[in-house]
Amino acid sequence: MELKKLDQDFSVCKVKDYSLVDLGAEYCFIGKTDEEDSLVCATSDVPSNVVERDDGWKGFRIQGVLDFSLIGILTGIAEILAENGISIFAISTYNTDYVLMKKKSYQKALDILGRTGYEIVE
């Protein structure tokens, strides 16, 4: 399975509202609940109406379109990283999954996944 490295630095944010979010940005993940308005985006795209933010995330995506009937793709990656003390922030889209981790753990995570059979692509 191929994992595509993402070049951007990411931020995980809570925003006042989505009025200043650049929905045309290359990466923009939003999540709205009864308790919060969340945003994950490139650090350079964090809007000024952010309420809380956590910077310093890097990530990769699972390449290709994952069929909804597939089981355990994200779990396999999460388990390998957890066994090595690396926590993740996972984001699922219609097509695939994105996995973020803190920058200090990023290269270690890629090295571990590469040794366990995942193909890391630029």
Side-chain angles (χ1 to χ4, degrees), residues 24-115:
E26 186 174 18
Y27 296 98
C28 176
F29 305 95
I30 60 173
K32 182 171 181 49
T33 71
D34 61 332
E35 296 181 338
E36 65 179 299
D37 293 339
S38 291
L39 168 69
V40 178
C41 63
T43 300
S44 60
D45 294 330
V46 172
S48 60
N49 65 344
V50 67
V51 176
E52 292 180 50
R53 69 189 277 176
D54 189 34
D55 298 328
W57 295 85
K58 295 288 286 180
F60 59 82
R61 82 167 149 245
I62 300 169
Q63 281 295 86
V65 177
L66 303 178
D67 188 272
F68 288 121
S69 65
L70 294 174
I71 298 169
I73 303 293
L74 187 55
T75 300
I77 291 170
E79 285 178 349
I80 291 167
L81 296 179
E83 289 167 2
N84 288 277
I86 300 172
S87 63
I88 66 168
F89 187 97
I91 304 167
S92 295
T93 66
Y94 190 89
N95 284 346
T96 193
D97 295 316
Y98 291 75
V99 180
L100 305 179
M101 69 275 323
K102 291 304 256 182
K103 281 177 15 177
K104 65 183 170 101
S105 301
Y106 184 61
Q107 191 57 54
K108 178 182 176 185
L110 293 175
D111 292 344
I112 291 164
L113 291 167
R115 285 194 305 271

